[in-house]
Each structure stands twice: as structure tokens, then as C-alpha cells.
Amino acid sequence: MQQNISLEKSWSYFVLSILFLSFYYLSYRYPLQMNSSDTSQTYSDTTFIFQFGKYVIFAGLLFILILFLLKLRPTVEIKKKTMLELFIALFLFVMPMAQFSLSLNDWVLQTGLFFILLVLFYMFPFKRIDYKRVSRAIMIFVVIAIIVEIYQLANFFINGRLPALGYAGTISVRFGSIWDDPNAFALVLPLLMPYIWKSELRLSFKVIIQVALAITLAFTQSLTGIAALIVAVVFGVFFMFFIDKRRSHIKTFLMFAVVLSIMFSGFKIYVQPSEFYETYMALKEGSIEGHKVGFLSLDDADAAHFLGFNPQPHGKYAETGYINLLLNFGIFYTAGFLILGLTTIWRLAVFIKNNRNKKYIEIFYGAFFFVISFYVSLANLPVEVIFPLNLLLVICIMISYADPLTEEREEKVKRKRKRYRLTW
């Protein structure tokens, strides 16, 4: 028993550490004006130290965790029900590492590196971690991200300070909050927004924070992020209804449909006929053409590409993640990547069904919608290599195996006490 507690404590500190790495590592970008000179008139290219620093930190944290795990449990215990997932995770890690050793292409390295964490988890699994601290870490990040977004907007409108993806004198000024990465920040909102909505905050605070996050989403100008959020909510709500047949899911869907209808009507009436929309779509033409060109790379591929025998992978074949996975690593790798995601979505849905009124369930709601949005966004962006989204995906996969939550929510306890007094 004591061994399990120590094991879970070790995993808790590690998860909190990599959450801190995920949330704050990229915060150097905005103050140092460092990202990519190709996409910014004012930023310089990220130096080698900052590019690979996150991997060095991750490797150091992983090494410390392995030392603790081996000390606590010298022998590996692999559960039979996770043998298939262990094989898939090992495959998703080893193949990119092998490809990297042949090509030294950092794109393939970024695709599979973090799956080593999943392999380690299957060998030394935890039943639960310190959800209180994890929840607090997410909440603090939400607040900091909103504050940073407000500062960046004020700095732009008052002083003309451009973010990483901003072009002076145009409407293409995209904000990515603390990460200074519009697409990445837009794609983490499907984690943050459900987390806030299902938290134990007062309704008024929930609404204020949700509105603030919605505004940050709008300022990212990320069509993929907006589409991924919408699809994740629609699919997620329907999937949850399929799992437990609760009418509340239909109410949620109808409420969301009404909001979307109002927004779409406003778009058709006020935005689409405007000069702003024409200018914006003109700026997006290059991106749209880039996505079309990416599909042409499928015509040049041969059987070796599709079977995973590509000795010199290009890394980035297209803006579409699924094409990159297919041409770099083959159909079996792509299938494994998909299977891991789909089974995670299923496990999280079942977990939510069985722990709906438990404390910290908001973490699992956030993970559920984030994993859906991650796999949706792969259809239009190379999310498999976008840090920290690829690391957050692995964290969500790990917690999907957690044991049931034990603490009841405060409002649930209060309702029970009220019923007891009335009965008495």
C-alpha cells in the first residue's frame, strides 16, 4: 500500500512538472520576440538552445522519474488489458526514433518522442494522481493566459507592438496569448473551456472566464481552432449521449446549437458582406493553396511510403497531420496513432459517465474534448509535432486509465444534507 502511495506521489510530481513545462515553456517568445522570421517582420528565428531546451528538460524530468520508479518497484508489472496499447505506444515511439537516426530530421523526432512517457506509464501505471494540484495548475494557467492576452492586446492597440504572427497595416494580427502561437493556443481551448464550465466555480465566474476565453479564440483568427472546438463539442455531446442516454446532453447540444445559429446569422448578415471579410479571405488564400499542394504529395508516394519503409522521410509533406503521418511512417503507424486516440476518447467518456458528480471530474471533461479536437485538427494542421499539444495528448491518454474518483462535489454533498434535513 505504501509503495502504491509513493508511486502515485512520484507520478503526481512528474505530471505537475510536465504540465508546468507545457504551459509556460513557450512564454519566452513574446518578450524576446523569438519565433520565426519567415512569418514575422519583427521576430527573429528561435535559437537552437530554446528549440531543444524543452526536450532537454523533458529528458531530465523523465530520468528522475525513472530513478524513483525503479527504486519503488524494481520489477515491471504490465497488465494484460494494456498489452496492445503498450505495443502501439512502443511502435509510435520507436519508429520515429529509427527514422530520425537515419535522416536526422527533427520533424520525425517531434512526432514520436513523447510516446516514451506512455511506454513508461504502461510499465509502471498509477491508479490516481494529485488531482487537486493538477486542477489548481490548470486554473492558474487559465487566469495567467487571460491576463497575458489582455496585456498583448493593450500593447498592440496602444503601442503597436505586434505578436509573432502579426503584419503591420493589415488585419492579419493573430494573438496566441502566453504561447504567442495562435493555432496552438486555439487548440488548447477545447481543454480549458470544458474544464472551466464543469468546475466548481460560481456560475457568474464561469460565464466571465468563458467569455474571456472565447475572445482569445477570436483573436487567434484560427479557423482550424474554431472548427475543432465546434466539432469537438458536437461530437463529444452526441457521443456522451450514446454512452449514458442522459437528456441533459440533448439540452447542452440544443443550447450550443442556438448559440451557433445566432453567431452564424450574425456572420452572414454583418461579416460576410463586409470588406473586412474579403480582405481576410484574400490573406487566407495562400494558406488554402498550401493545403491543396500538400495533397499532391500523395500522388508522388509509392508503396514504400504507405508501408512505412521510407528511408529518407521529408518530415513535413503537408499542412495536414494525417498526410505527414502516412508518408513519413506508413499506414500501420497512422492506424496505431488513430487507435490510441479513439480508445482514449472511449475510456474518458465511460469514466465521465461513472464519475459524473465526483470532485475533479472537470479535468476529465477537459481531456475528453481536447483529445477529440486534437484528432479533428490533424485533418488541417500538423498537430502531431506542435509542442505542447503533443505532450498534453500523452498526459490525457495516461489519465484516461485512472481509477474512479472518490470525493463527491461540494454542491452534491450540500444537496444530500438538505434532503436529510427535510426527511428528518
Side-chain angles (χ1 to χ4, degrees):
M1 182 67 180
Q2 186 66 33
Q3 186 186 63
N4 288 334
I5 293 173
S6 299
L7 186 76
E8 289 162 7
K9 186 178 290 186
S10 298
W11 271 111
S12 294
Y13 282 121
F14 178 77
V15 170
L16 287 168
S17 298
I18 58 175
L19 276 179
F20 188 87
L21 176 67
S22 301
F23 288 158
Y24 302 110
Y25 183 81
L26 297 180
S27 61
Y28 70 84
R29 284 179 168 176
Y30 186 81
L32 298 182
Q33 290 187 286
M34 201 179 288
N35 194 336
S36 173
S37 58
D38 293 335
T39 56
S40 174
Q41 300 167 329
T42 57
Y43 277 53
S44 61
D45 290 325
T46 304
T47 62
F48 178 83
I49 293 175
F50 281 108
Q51 283 182 0
F52 287 91
K54 55 183 175 287
Y55 302 119
V56 174
I57 296 171
F58 173 78
L61 292 171
L62 190 67
F63 178 72
I64 294 171
L65 175 66
I66 291 173
L67 290 180
F68 274 100
L69 293 178
L70 290 176
K71 183 179 179 182
L72 293 168
R73 186 183 291 172
T75 57
V76 175
E77 296 180 10
I78 302 173
K79 298 178 180 178
K80 289 184 179 180
K81 63 180 181 180
T82 60
M83 284 295 291
L84 176 60
E85 288 92 335
L86 172 60
F87 173 78
I88 293 174
L90 190 62
F91 181 51
L92 295 181
F93 168 71
V94 170
M95 192 164 186
M97 297 306 104
Q99 295 280 40
F100 176 72
S101 66
L102 295 173
S103 65
L104 297 181
N105 188 317
D106 63 337
W107 189 281
V108 296
L109 174 71
Q110 295 172 70
T111 302
L113 178 63
F114 294 126
F115 285 112
I116 185 60
L117 178 55
L118 202 53
V119 173
L120 189 65
F121 167 76
Y122 288 131
M123 294 191 295
F124 301 93
F126 59 79
K127 294 182 178 180
R128 60 178 57 84
I129 53 176
D130 191 340
Y131 296 122
K132 182 178 181 180
R133 290 184 178 181
V134 170
S135 183
R136 187 182 299 164
I138 299 174
M139 184 65 73
I140 291 172
F141 175 69
V142 170
V143 174
I144 290 176
I146 291 172
I147 293 172
V148 171
E149 181 81 7
I150 293 171
Y151 170 77
Q152 290 180 357
L153 289 171
N155 203 14
F156 170 70
F157 287 112
I158 296 173
N159 302 316
R161 166 69 157 83
L162 292 170
L165 290 181
Y167 299 90
T170 72
I171 62 170
S172 184
V173 181
R174 304 175 61 189
F175 294 87
S177 186
I178 191 170
W179 296 347
D180 208 4
D181 184 341
N183 286 326
F185 191 76
L187 291 171
V188 82
L189 291 176
L191 186 156
L192 303 181
M193 296 179 82
Y195 165 82
I196 291 296
W197 192 249
K198 289 297 181 178
S199 70
E200 295 183 86
L201 292 174
R202 292 182 181 179
L203 180 60
S204 56
F205 288 154
K206 289 182 182 180
V207 172
I208 292 170
I209 295 174
Q210 292 286 56
V211 170
L213 291 176
I215 292 172
T216 66
L217 177 60
F219 276 103
T220 65
Q221 297 186 29
S222 174
L223 298 182
T224 302
I226 294 170
L229 176 63
I230 293 172
V231 174
V233 172
V234 173
F235 175 82
V237 170
F238 265 110
F239 192 70
M240 288 303 302
F241 178 75
F242 171 77
I243 293 291
D244 61 10
K245 303 295 189 297
R246 284 173 64 94
R247 291 183 179 180
S248 59
H249 297 311
I250 298 299
K251 293 178 181 178
T252 302
F253 173 77
L254 290 175
M255 181 179 69
F256 188 69
V258 169
V259 172
L260 278 182
S261 298
I262 294 172
M263 292 174 64
F264 181 74
S265 300
F267 168 79
K268 294 293 288 185
I269 296 171
Y270 299 106
V271 179
Q272 194 172 28
S274 68
E275 185 179 345
F276 169 85
Y277 178 75
E278 291 181 7
T279 306
Y280 179 77
M281 291 308 296
L283 290 170
K284 282 289 182 181
E285 280 184 9
S287 176
I288 294 170
E289 288 300 317
H291 282 81
K292 291 180 180 178
V293 171
F295 283 95
L296 297 177
S297 57
L298 292 171
D299 295 333
D300 300 327
D302 54 23
H305 287 82
F306 293 115
L307 293 176
F309 301 109
N310 183 359
Q312 291 295 325
H314 295 170
K316 185 178 181 181
Y317 287 90
E319 290 292 331
T320 303
Y322 288 115
I323 293 178
N324 293 326
L325 291 172
L326 183 62
L327 297 185
N328 282 316
F329 310 113
I331 191 169
F332 299 111
Y333 190 95
T334 307
F337 204 97
L338 275 169
I339 290 169
L340 208 58
L342 292 173
T343 54
T344 299
I345 292 169
W346 174 267
R347 280 193 305 274
L348 286 169
V350 173
F351 188 94
I352 290 170
K353 173 191 173 183
N354 296 331
N355 298 269
R356 189 175 306 280
N357 296 312
K358 300 296 184 180
K359 202 172 181 66
Y360 310 121
I361 189 61
E362 62 270 18
I363 298 172
F364 296 87
Y365 271 103
F368 175 68
F369 286 102
F370 172 76
V371 175
I372 296 173
S373 69
F374 185 97
Y375 279 85
V376 170
S377 60
L378 271 172
N380 198 53
L381 285 175
V383 193
E384 76 280 6
V385 297
I386 296 180
F387 177 86
L389 300 178
N390 48 7
L391 180 53
L392 291 173
L393 173 69
V394 174
I395 298 173
C396 291
I397 294 172
M398 289 194 304
I399 68 169
S400 71
Y401 289 95
D403 276 10
L405 301 173
T406 55
E407 295 182 63
E408 287 194 343
R409 291 185 157 220
E410 290 183 10
E411 62 263 30
K412 185 74 175 177
V413 173
K414 288 177 181 177
R415 283 198 296 268
K416 283 187 175 180
R417 287 175 180 171
K418 188 175 180 181
R419 277 195 224 105
Y420 177 77
R421 286 197 297 270
L422 288 173
T423 305
W424 182 260

Short mmCIF file of all heavy atoms in Angstrom, two decimals, residues 150-186:
data_model
loop_
_atom_site.label_atom_id
_atom_site.label_comp_id
_atom_site.label_asym_id
_atom_site.label_seq_id
_atom_site.Cartn_x
_atom_site.Cartn_y
_atom_site.Cartn_z
N ILE A 150 -4.78 40.01 -22.42
CA ILE A 150 -5.19 41.41 -22.23
C ILE A 150 -4.01 42.34 -22.40
O ILE A 150 -4.10 43.39 -23.06
CB ILE A 150 -5.83 41.59 -20.83
CG1 ILE A 150 -7.16 40.82 -20.75
CG2 ILE A 150 -6.06 43.07 -20.53
CD1 ILE A 150 -7.75 40.76 -19.36
N TYR A 151 -2.86 41.97 -21.81
CA TYR A 151 -1.66 42.80 -21.93
C TYR A 151 -1.21 42.91 -23.38
O TYR A 151 -0.88 44.02 -23.86
CB TYR A 151 -0.53 42.20 -21.08
CG TYR A 151 0.81 42.87 -21.34
CD1 TYR A 151 1.09 44.12 -20.79
CD2 TYR A 151 1.77 42.25 -22.14
CE1 TYR A 151 2.30 44.75 -21.04
CE2 TYR A 151 2.98 42.87 -22.39
CZ TYR A 151 3.24 44.11 -21.84
OH TYR A 151 4.43 44.74 -22.10
N GLN A 152 -1.20 41.79 -24.12
CA GLN A 152 -0.76 41.82 -25.51
C GLN A 152 -1.69 42.67 -26.38
O GLN A 152 -1.22 43.42 -27.25
CB GLN A 152 -0.68 40.39 -26.06
CG GLN A 152 0.45 39.57 -25.46
CD GLN A 152 0.50 38.16 -26.02
OE1 GLN A 152 -0.34 37.77 -26.82
NE2 GLN A 152 1.50 37.39 -25.60
N LEU A 153 -2.98 42.56 -26.14
CA LEU A 153 -3.94 43.37 -26.90
C LEU A 153 -3.75 44.85 -26.61
O LEU A 153 -3.75 45.69 -27.53
CB LEU A 153 -5.37 42.93 -26.56
CG LEU A 153 -5.81 41.57 -27.10
CD1 LEU A 153 -7.16 41.16 -26.52
CD2 LEU A 153 -5.89 41.59 -28.62
N ALA A 154 -3.58 45.19 -25.33
CA ALA A 154 -3.36 46.59 -24.95
C ALA A 154 -2.07 47.11 -25.54
O ALA A 154 -2.01 48.25 -26.06
CB ALA A 154 -3.35 46.72 -23.43
N ASN A 155 -1.03 46.30 -25.51
CA ASN A 155 0.27 46.68 -26.05
C ASN A 155 0.20 46.92 -27.55
O ASN A 155 0.90 47.78 -28.10
CB ASN A 155 1.31 45.61 -25.72
CG ASN A 155 2.73 46.14 -25.75
OD1 ASN A 155 2.96 47.35 -25.75
ND2 ASN A 155 3.70 45.24 -25.77
N PHE A 156 -0.65 46.14 -28.23
CA PHE A 156 -0.81 46.32 -29.67
C PHE A 156 -1.61 47.57 -30.00
O PHE A 156 -1.19 48.40 -30.82
CB PHE A 156 -1.49 45.09 -30.28
CG PHE A 156 -1.90 45.28 -31.71
CD1 PHE A 156 -0.96 45.37 -32.72
CD2 PHE A 156 -3.25 45.38 -32.04
CE1 PHE A 156 -1.34 45.56 -34.05
CE2 PHE A 156 -3.65 45.57 -33.36
CZ PHE A 156 -2.69 45.65 -34.36
N PHE A 157 -2.75 47.72 -29.36
CA PHE A 157 -3.62 48.86 -29.70
C PHE A 157 -3.06 50.20 -29.22
O PHE A 157 -3.33 51.23 -29.82
CB PHE A 157 -5.02 48.63 -29.13
CG PHE A 157 -5.79 47.57 -29.86
CD1 PHE A 157 -6.10 46.36 -29.25
CD2 PHE A 157 -6.21 47.77 -31.17
CE1 PHE A 157 -6.81 45.38 -29.93
CE2 PHE A 157 -6.92 46.80 -31.86
CZ PHE A 157 -7.22 45.59 -31.24
N ILE A 158 -2.26 50.19 -28.16
CA ILE A 158 -1.70 51.44 -27.63
C ILE A 158 -0.33 51.75 -28.25
O ILE A 158 -0.07 52.86 -28.69
CB ILE A 158 -1.57 51.37 -26.09
CG1 ILE A 158 -2.96 51.25 -25.46
CG2 ILE A 158 -0.86 52.62 -25.56
CD1 ILE A 158 -2.93 51.00 -23.97
N ASN A 159 0.53 50.72 -28.31
CA ASN A 159 1.91 50.94 -28.75
C ASN A 159 2.23 50.34 -30.12
O ASN A 159 3.33 50.54 -30.63
CB ASN A 159 2.88 50.33 -27.73
CG ASN A 159 2.70 50.93 -26.35
OD1 ASN A 159 2.56 52.15 -26.20
ND2 ASN A 159 2.70 50.08 -25.32
N GLY A 160 1.30 49.59 -30.69
CA GLY A 160 1.54 48.98 -32.00
C GLY A 160 2.46 47.78 -31.97
O GLY A 160 2.98 47.36 -33.01
N ARG A 161 2.66 47.18 -30.79
CA ARG A 161 3.55 46.02 -30.65
C ARG A 161 2.90 44.79 -31.27
O ARG A 161 1.82 44.36 -30.85
CB ARG A 161 3.85 45.80 -29.17
CG ARG A 161 4.48 44.46 -28.82
CD ARG A 161 5.92 44.34 -29.33
NE ARG A 161 6.65 43.36 -28.54
CZ ARG A 161 6.63 42.04 -28.73
NH1 ARG A 161 5.90 41.54 -29.71
NH2 ARG A 161 7.34 41.24 -27.96
N LEU A 162 3.54 44.21 -32.27
CA LEU A 162 2.98 43.07 -32.99
C LEU A 162 3.34 41.75 -32.31
O LEU A 162 4.44 41.60 -31.79
CB LEU A 162 3.51 43.04 -34.42
CG LEU A 162 3.05 44.15 -35.36
CD1 LEU A 162 3.86 44.10 -36.65
CD2 LEU A 162 1.57 44.02 -35.66
N PRO A 163 2.42 40.79 -32.33
CA PRO A 163 2.75 39.42 -31.87
C PRO A 163 3.52 38.68 -32.96
O PRO A 163 3.84 39.26 -34.01
CB PRO A 163 1.37 38.80 -31.64
CG PRO A 163 0.48 39.51 -32.60
CD PRO A 163 1.01 40.91 -32.72
N ALA A 164 3.80 37.41 -32.72
CA ALA A 164 4.62 36.63 -33.66
C ALA A 164 4.00 36.53 -35.04
O ALA A 164 4.70 36.62 -36.06
CB ALA A 164 4.86 35.23 -33.09
N LEU A 165 2.70 36.34 -35.11
CA LEU A 165 2.01 36.26 -36.40
C LEU A 165 1.20 37.53 -36.61
O LEU A 165 -0.03 37.52 -36.61
CB LEU A 165 1.11 35.02 -36.45
CG LEU A 165 1.84 33.68 -36.53
CD1 LEU A 165 0.83 32.54 -36.59
CD2 LEU A 165 2.77 33.62 -37.72
N GLY A 166 1.91 38.64 -36.77
CA GLY A 166 1.25 39.92 -36.97
C GLY A 166 1.95 40.72 -38.04
O GLY A 166 3.19 40.81 -38.06
N TYR A 167 1.18 41.30 -38.95
CA TYR A 167 1.74 42.10 -40.04
C TYR A 167 1.18 43.51 -39.94
O TYR A 167 -0.04 43.72 -39.99
CB TYR A 167 1.40 41.48 -41.39
CG TYR A 167 1.97 40.09 -41.55
CD1 TYR A 167 1.24 38.96 -41.17
CD2 TYR A 167 3.26 39.91 -42.04
CE1 TYR A 167 1.77 37.68 -41.30
CE2 TYR A 167 3.79 38.63 -42.18
CZ TYR A 167 3.04 37.53 -41.81
OH TYR A 167 3.57 36.27 -41.93
N ALA A 168 2.08 44.46 -39.80
CA ALA A 168 1.68 45.86 -39.62
C ALA A 168 0.86 46.35 -40.81
O ALA A 168 1.17 46.05 -41.96
CB ALA A 168 2.92 46.74 -39.44
N GLY A 169 -0.20 47.10 -40.50
CA GLY A 169 -1.03 47.69 -41.54
C GLY A 169 -2.02 46.74 -42.17
O GLY A 169 -2.65 47.08 -43.17
N THR A 170 -2.15 45.51 -41.62
CA THR A 170 -3.13 44.54 -42.14
C THR A 170 -4.03 44.07 -41.00
O THR A 170 -3.78 44.36 -39.83
CB THR A 170 -2.43 43.31 -42.75
OG1 THR A 170 -1.87 42.51 -41.70
CG2 THR A 170 -1.31 43.74 -43.70
N ILE A 171 -5.06 43.33 -41.38
CA ILE A 171 -5.93 42.76 -40.35
C ILE A 171 -5.38 41.42 -39.84
O ILE A 171 -5.92 40.84 -38.90
CB ILE A 171 -7.36 42.54 -40.89
CG1 ILE A 171 -7.34 41.54 -42.06
CG2 ILE A 171 -7.99 43.86 -41.29
CD1 ILE A 171 -8.72 41.10 -42.50
N SER A 172 -4.30 40.96 -40.47
CA SER A 172 -3.72 39.69 -40.07
C SER A 172 -2.77 39.90 -38.89
O SER A 172 -1.54 39.86 -39.03
CB SER A 172 -2.98 39.05 -41.24
OG SER A 172 -2.48 37.78 -40.88
N VAL A 173 -3.36 40.16 -37.74
CA VAL A 173 -2.61 40.28 -36.49
C VAL A 173 -3.21 39.26 -35.54
O VAL A 173 -4.29 39.46 -34.97
CB VAL A 173 -2.70 41.70 -35.91
CG1 VAL A 173 -1.88 41.79 -34.62
CG2 VAL A 173 -2.21 42.73 -36.92
N ARG A 174 -2.52 38.13 -35.37
CA ARG A 174 -3.06 36.99 -34.64
C ARG A 174 -2.37 36.85 -33.30
O ARG A 174 -1.14 36.85 -33.22
CB ARG A 174 -2.89 35.72 -35.47
CG ARG A 174 -3.53 35.81 -36.86
CD ARG A 174 -3.24 34.57 -37.68
NE ARG A 174 -3.79 33.38 -37.05
CZ ARG A 174 -3.53 32.15 -37.47
NH1 ARG A 174 -2.72 31.95 -38.50
NH2 ARG A 174 -4.07 31.12 -36.85
N PHE A 175 -3.17 36.71 -32.27
CA PHE A 175 -2.64 36.62 -30.91
C PHE A 175 -2.73 35.19 -30.40
O PHE A 175 -3.73 34.50 -30.62
CB PHE A 175 -3.40 37.56 -29.98
CG PHE A 175 -3.21 39.02 -30.32
CD1 PHE A 175 -4.02 39.64 -31.25
CD2 PHE A 175 -2.21 39.75 -29.70
CE1 PHE A 175 -3.84 40.98 -31.57
CE2 PHE A 175 -2.01 41.09 -30.01
CZ PHE A 175 -2.83 41.70 -30.95
N GLY A 176 -1.69 34.76 -29.68
CA GLY A 176 -1.65 33.40 -29.13
C GLY A 176 -1.39 33.38 -27.65
O GLY A 176 -0.84 32.40 -27.13
N SER A 177 -1.76 34.46 -26.96
CA SER A 177 -1.62 34.56 -25.51
C SER A 177 -0.19 34.23 -25.07
O SER A 177 0.78 34.62 -25.72
CB SER A 177 -2.64 33.66 -24.81
OG SER A 177 -2.61 33.86 -23.41
N ILE A 178 -0.05 33.49 -23.99
CA ILE A 178 1.26 33.26 -23.38
C ILE A 178 2.19 32.44 -24.28
O ILE A 178 3.42 32.53 -24.16
CB ILE A 178 1.08 32.57 -22.00
CG1 ILE A 178 2.40 32.55 -21.23
CG2 ILE A 178 0.52 31.17 -22.17
CD1 ILE A 178 2.24 32.11 -19.79
N TRP A 179 1.64 31.65 -25.20
CA TRP A 179 2.47 30.86 -26.10
C TRP A 179 2.88 31.64 -27.35
O TRP A 179 3.78 31.21 -28.07
CB TRP A 179 1.75 29.59 -26.54
CG TRP A 179 1.45 28.65 -25.42
CD1 TRP A 179 1.97 28.68 -24.15
CD2 TRP A 179 0.58 27.51 -25.47
NE1 TRP A 179 1.46 27.65 -23.41
CE2 TRP A 179 0.61 26.90 -24.18
CE3 TRP A 179 -0.22 26.95 -26.46
CZ2 TRP A 179 -0.14 25.78 -23.87
CZ3 TRP A 179 -0.96 25.81 -26.15
CH2 TRP A 179 -0.91 25.24 -24.88
N ASP A 180 2.22 32.76 -27.62
CA ASP A 180 2.45 33.54 -28.83
C ASP A 180 2.35 32.66 -30.07
O ASP A 180 3.10 32.81 -31.03
CB ASP A 180 3.81 34.24 -28.77
CG ASP A 180 3.85 35.52 -29.60
OD1 ASP A 180 2.80 35.89 -30.15
OD2 ASP A 180 4.93 36.14 -29.70
N ASP A 181 1.42 31.71 -30.02
CA ASP A 181 1.18 30.76 -31.10
C ASP A 181 -0.33 30.62 -31.26
O ASP A 181 -0.98 29.88 -30.51
CB ASP A 181 1.82 29.41 -30.78
CG ASP A 181 1.69 28.40 -31.92
OD1 ASP A 181 0.83 28.60 -32.80
OD2 ASP A 181 2.44 27.42 -31.92
N PRO A 182 -0.92 31.33 -32.22
CA PRO A 182 -2.39 31.35 -32.35
C PRO A 182 -3.03 29.99 -32.52
O PRO A 182 -4.03 29.67 -31.86
CB PRO A 182 -2.62 32.24 -33.57
CG PRO A 182 -1.39 33.07 -33.69
CD PRO A 182 -0.27 32.20 -33.20
N ASN A 183 -2.50 29.18 -33.43
CA ASN A 183 -3.11 27.87 -33.68
C ASN A 183 -3.02 26.96 -32.46
O ASN A 183 -3.98 26.30 -32.09
CB ASN A 183 -2.45 27.19 -34.88
CG ASN A 183 -2.88 27.81 -36.20
OD1 ASN A 183 -4.02 28.25 -36.35
ND2 ASN A 183 -1.97 27.87 -37.15
N ALA A 184 -1.85 26.92 -31.84
CA ALA A 184 -1.66 26.05 -30.68
C ALA A 184 -2.55 26.49 -29.53
O ALA A 184 -3.20 25.64 -28.88
CB ALA A 184 -0.19 26.05 -30.24
N PHE A 185 -2.61 27.79 -29.28
CA PHE A 185 -3.44 28.25 -28.16
C PHE A 185 -4.92 28.03 -28.45
O PHE A 185 -5.69 27.68 -27.55
CB PHE A 185 -3.18 29.72 -27.85
CG PHE A 185 -3.82 30.16 -26.57
CD1 PHE A 185 -3.25 29.80 -25.35
CD2 PHE A 185 -5.00 30.89 -26.55
CE1 PHE A 185 -3.85 30.18 -24.15
CE2 PHE A 185 -5.59 31.26 -25.36
CZ PHE A 185 -5.01 30.91 -24.15
N ALA A 186 -5.33 28.22 -29.70
CA ALA A 186 -6.73 27.96 -30.06
C ALA A 186 -7.09 26.50 -29.81
O ALA A 186 -8.21 26.18 -29.40
CB ALA A 186 -6.97 28.32 -31.52
#
